[in-house]
Amino acid sequence: MLNYIKAELWKALRHRIFWGTTIFLVLCTALFGFLMHSADYVELVGGVSVTMLTGMLVVPLLVQVVDGGRGETMKNEISFGLSRGGIYGGKLLSGLLLGLGLCTVLMIGLLGICFPLLPHDDPEAEAVALGILGFCLLAAVPVWCGMFALCHAMAMLFPGAAV
């Protein structure tokens, strides 16, 4: 199963849609950080906390990356001897790992780059804001994973990319 997940991640990292989505999200994150240039670090972290659920908008693109051309690859995988449950689970886990990795890169990038650039008034308020951000992130990740599982199930059940 780990070899299959590794193969799916390798295939997804060579997909143009993934890199286009990543570049677009990095540019949006940079724009968000640039728009917060007049704020302090606490306001930036508060702004990031409010926008957590917008990660659900990225889910259909990640599902397209993982399940994109499934017609030909499903035939190859089934003829190789993999079970349908193993294929479904492997694609699900690789897509979740891909999405969580992308989230980690964006969050660490934004907060890490803006930390030395923005003024710091109250270290205690920053700690509270980062705690709230962690709580919001812990609340948003199950929603993202559930949305990915739903979209992935729809993509596996129905043929065509319109789903």
Side-chain angles (χ1 to χ4, degrees):
M1 181 65 127
L2 290 176
N3 285 337
Y4 184 69
I5 292 171
K6 189 169 93 172
E8 284 295 321
L9 288 173
W10 182 86
K11 186 172 68 171
L13 289 176
R14 271 118 185 105
H15 212 280
R16 286 185 186 168
I17 294 174
F18 175 72
W19 290 110
T21 302
T22 302
I23 290 170
F24 176 72
L25 289 175
V26 166
L27 290 175
C28 287
T29 304
L31 178 65
F32 184 79
F34 178 73
L35 291 175
M36 297 294 282
H37 75 281
S38 63
D40 63 345
Y41 196 70
V42 174
E43 292 176 4
L44 172 78
V45 173
V48 172
S49 297
V50 172
T51 61
M52 276 294 131
L53 289 179
T54 57
M56 287 193 317
L57 301 175
V58 180
V59 167
L61 295 172
L62 289 176
V63 169
Q64 181 64 30
V65 168
V66 174
D67 297 329
R70 78 172 175 91
E72 295 141 15
T73 58
M74 286 286 283
K75 292 176 191 172
N76 294 337
E77 292 163 352
I78 290 174
S79 67
F80 187 69
L82 296 172
S83 67
R84 291 182 188 268
I87 293 170
Y88 177 81
K91 286 184 180 287
L92 179 69
L93 289 175
S94 65
L96 289 175
L97 287 173
L98 200 64
L100 293 175
L102 183 62
C103 173
T104 303
V105 166
L106 292 174
M107 294 292 289
I108 290 174
L110 177 66
L111 297 176
I113 290 173
C114 289
F115 184 76
L117 299 176
L118 294 177
H120 304 281
D121 296 332
D122 187 12
E124 186 176 314
E126 288 178 11
V128 170
L130 287 172
I132 292 171
L133 175 65
F135 181 74
C136 291
L137 189 61
L138 285 175
V141 166
V143 175
W144 296 341
C145 293
M147 181 61 94
F148 185 84
L150 177 68
C151 291
H152 177 63
M154 291 297 143
M156 295 294 277
L157 285 175
F158 300 109
V163 174

